[in-house]
Amino acid sequence: MSDKAAQGKVLLEIRNMTKAYGDHIVLENINIDVHQGEVIAIIGPSGCGKSTFLRSINLLEVPTAGTISFEGTNITDKSVNINKVRQKIGMVFQQFNLFPNMTIQENIMLAPVKLGLMSKSEAEKEAKTLLERVGLSEKANVYPAMLSGGQKQRIAIARSLAMKPDIMLFDEPTSALDPEMVGEVLNLMKRLASSGMTMLVVTHEMGFAKEVASRVLFFDEKIIKEEGTPAEVFGNPKAQRLRDFLQKVLV
């Protein structure tokens, strides 16, 4: 963990979290704290529960057992207004989920205005700022169909940032992109990380995990099989399963 992250308060506490679909257990007894300013890369083979873990953090998947606390609130308590909590948890998916009948600027403005967090003029100003931040100012008035996949994903990130989240979750944000578009999205995520944004990233991009993450979690066989700094996980993996995995993905 970086010094900055070590000093940061705990944003997220997950205790004894299990997720099962009927008799099929996907995740078992997961325990982790996430500190403000950490960038956590989540790696592992397909089907090991990485995305389920990420989607459980904002209850898109409801844990079967255990608790998740975000900023001191147990969000697995049924009395909690999860929609209110989700306003502080940004999420970026593999697919961009932009509204095709709205301009890029309108896509970014929609949620803050609809939820009453900003006036229309405030949201418009924020959208312009965010478009500049993601390097797409000139695309404000075009429609999603006119953008490349990489540009759409950068807009999806800008849309999440418009809610001013305290933590960002990325579920394989580059896996649906053509190889030449991956870099532009990863570069934006690197800039976000260096600005201090707390991020959890499910990724197959090992270079990104090595360079940007303060901590790496390796999921396998329903659990976090190994965790540590990128230097520890990539340079000195302890579990044989992790060594085998890295041998396949690091070429």
Side-chain angles (χ1 to χ4, degrees):
M1 192 189 300
S2 68
D3 291 340
K4 184 176 178 182
Q7 293 162 8
K9 65 179 181 180
V10 175
L11 280 187
L12 187 67
E13 293 177 54
I14 298 176
R15 294 290 176 268
N16 306 313
M17 188 188 91
T18 293
K19 176 63 181 176
Y21 299 98
D23 294 336
H24 178 55
I25 298 171
V26 182
L27 296 168
E28 191 164 33
N29 205 32
I30 303 293
N31 289 278
I32 186 172
D33 288 347
V34 177
H35 293 77
Q36 191 167 28
E38 275 198 283
V39 178
I40 297 179
I42 300 162
I43 66 172
S46 294
C48 69
K50 304 184 298 291
S51 291
T52 302
F53 168 72
L54 201 72
R55 290 166 65 85
S56 297
I57 291 170
N58 62 4
L59 298 198
L60 287 177
E61 297 281 358
V62 179
T64 309
T67 60
I68 299 172
S69 295
F70 176 66
E71 297 185 334
T73 299
N74 175 9
I75 65 172
T76 41
D77 184 325
K78 288 186 168 50
S79 67
V80 169
N81 180 349
I82 189 60
N83 289 324
K84 190 87 175 157
V85 174
R86 283 180 183 141
Q87 292 176 18
K88 289 292 178 186
I89 304 176
M91 185 143 192
V92 178
F93 301 89
Q94 295 176 34
Q95 302 301 332
F96 326 114
N97 302 329
L98 300 175
F99 292 103
N101 59 329
M102 293 183 176
T103 66
I104 296 310
Q105 185 167 292
E106 288 167 344
N107 265 279
I108 296 170
M109 291 169 59
L110 180 65
V113 172
K114 196 172 181 182
L115 293 167
L117 303 175
M118 295 180 197
S119 67
K120 199 169 178 184
S121 60
E122 287 169 336
E124 192 172 331
K125 189 177 175 187
E126 181 66 16
K128 284 181 163 61
T129 301
L130 287 169
L131 282 167
E132 195 172 325
R133 188 173 178 185
V134 302
L136 291 169
S137 295
E138 75 286 0
K139 302 295 186 185
N141 297 311
V142 307
Y143 290 87
M146 300 168 74
L147 301 184
S148 70
Q151 289 172 331
K152 286 176 187 172
Q153 194 60 292
R154 281 151 64 195
I155 295 301
I157 293 170
R159 183 181 54 185
S160 282
L161 292 173
M163 295 296 293
K164 301 190 181 299
D166 292 336
I167 191 168
M168 288 280 284
L169 312 178
F170 294 86
D171 189 5
E172 299 188 23
T174 59
S175 66
L177 301 179
D178 292 335
E180 67 269 21
M181 295 172 185
V182 168
E184 64 189 67
V185 174
L186 292 180
N187 285 336
L188 172 57
M189 291 170 65
K190 287 174 191 174
R191 294 201 302 274
L192 268 184
S194 50
S195 76
M197 175 62 76
T198 309
M199 296 163 56
L200 276 79
V201 186
V202 172
T203 185
H204 294 294
E205 301 291 339
M206 298 301 143
F208 174 85
K210 274 184 178 179
E211 182 186 345
V212 182
S214 47
R215 189 160 34 135
V216 180
L217 308 180
F218 172 64
F219 274 73
D220 190 50
E221 295 172 341
K222 308 171 201 167
I223 61 171
I224 300 173
K225 187 146 271 189
E226 193 160 331
E227 68 175 291
T229 63
E232 290 165 345
V233 168
F234 292 106
N236 188 27
K238 295 179 183 66
Q240 182 61 46
R241 187 70 187 87
L242 175 55
R243 289 199 289 272
D244 293 345
F245 172 78
L246 292 175
Q247 204 167 12
K248 286 176 187 163
V249 297
L250 293 176
V251 286

